[in-house]
């Protein structure tokens, strides 16, 4: 059953990609789209690879999340084996550290909470909270092709969201399946 839902999501994204592809003298342009998507516990996720974490040779992934029950939007920069995140998380500092996302559309949003975590991955995360802040931030993904991330004085650079609205469509499609009880 899970395979069917994944194929459904992939089908929706494939249709979106097909509509966006230009025809060139009877040939289609090659596509190299790479992203991850999943859901668990009523939360939908979509992730995009980026460069290396500041000061390391460790690759980063920017993962957007959308909690279906209340529309809570979040973003996490995930790294495996990042000493900076491990050290910051070990401090146990509870003060919120906002994350700022800037999209290629010129729109910017800053989370109301955030922090460092270390466990399976080493993370810098931002949470917009249920309500108006998430309601304003989530739609910014509709027209975005890139997102730049700043957090705790660090510039994580720009992440390629592969194509306009891919992140938004992926999360919306997942949320619909969750609401229908299909995930």
């Amino acid at each position: 059953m899970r395979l069917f839902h994944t194929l459904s999501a992939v089908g929706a994204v494939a249709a979106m990609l097909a509509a966006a592809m230009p025809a060139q003298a009877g040939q289609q342009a090659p596509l190299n789209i790479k992203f991850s998507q999943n859901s668990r516990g009523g939360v939908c996720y979509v992730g995009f690879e980026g460069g290396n974490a500041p000061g390391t040779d460790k690759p980063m992934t920017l993962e957007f999340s959308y909690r279906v029950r209340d529309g809570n939007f979040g973003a996490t920069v995930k790294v495996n084996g990042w000493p900076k995140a491990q050290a910051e998380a070990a401090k146990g500092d509870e003060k919120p550290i906002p994350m700022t996302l800037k999209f290629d559309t010129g729109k910017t949003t800053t989370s109301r909470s955030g922090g460092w975590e270390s466990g399976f991955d080493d993370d810098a995360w931002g949470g917009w909270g249920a309500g108006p802040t998430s309601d304003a931030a989530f739609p910014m993904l509709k027209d975005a092709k890139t997102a730049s991330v700043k957090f705790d004085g660090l510039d994580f650079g720009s992440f390629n969201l592969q194509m306009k609205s891919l992140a938004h469509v992926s999360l919306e499609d997942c949320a619909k399946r969750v609401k229908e009880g299909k995930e």
Side-chain angles (χ1 to χ4, degrees):
M1 182 107 162
R2 173 81 174 131
L3 178 61
F4 172 75
H5 299 302
T6 301
L7 291 175
S8 172
V10 171
V13 172
M16 186 175 79
L17 291 172
M21 290 177 28
Q24 297 176 349
Q27 296 180 354
Q28 294 181 339
L31 285 178
N32 188 16
I33 304 296
K34 187 172 182 180
F35 67 103
S36 62
Q37 61 182 16
N38 66 69
S39 68
R40 60 188 176 280
V43 181
C44 298
Y45 301 90
V46 61
F48 301 91
E49 293 178 358
N52 291 336
T56 75
D57 61 353
K58 307 286 185 182
M60 301 180 292
T61 298
L62 174 60
E63 182 178 76
F64 296 111
S65 62
Y66 183 80
R67 189 169 58 206
V68 178
R69 70 178 160 84
D70 60 7
N72 187 14
F73 175 72
T76 303
V77 175
K78 297 179 159 297
V79 181
N80 190 316
W82 188 19
K84 167 79 173 161
Q86 293 166 359
E88 293 295 332
K91 289 179 185 177
D93 192 358
E94 294 295 321
K95 74 173 176 124
I97 305 169
M99 177 180 282
T100 299
L101 301 174
K102 182 176 182 180
F103 300 100
D104 58 303
T105 60
K107 295 179 180 178
T108 301
T109 182
T110 300
S111 67
R112 69 178 197 190
S113 63
W116 294 98
E117 289 182 349
S118 185
F120 182 76
D121 286 308
D122 302 309
D123 304 333
W125 63 271
W128 277 252
T133 53
S134 284
D135 294 345
F138 179 61
M140 291 183 187
L141 292 176
K142 282 184 183 178
D143 296 318
K145 289 175 67 177
T146 66
S148 297
V149 179
K150 292 190 178 181
F151 178 82
D152 202 10
L154 296 173
D155 185 344
F156 290 83
S158 183
F159 291 80
N160 182 350
L161 306 182
Q162 305 297 308
M163 64 183 301
K164 181 179 168 181
S165 78
L166 177 59
H168 192 268
V169 168
S170 177
L171 292 172
E172 263 193 340
D173 188 54
C174 173
K176 180 181 175 188
R177 290 189 312 275
V178 168
K179 286 177 184 175
E180 293 172 350
K182 295 179 179 178
E183 267 191 51

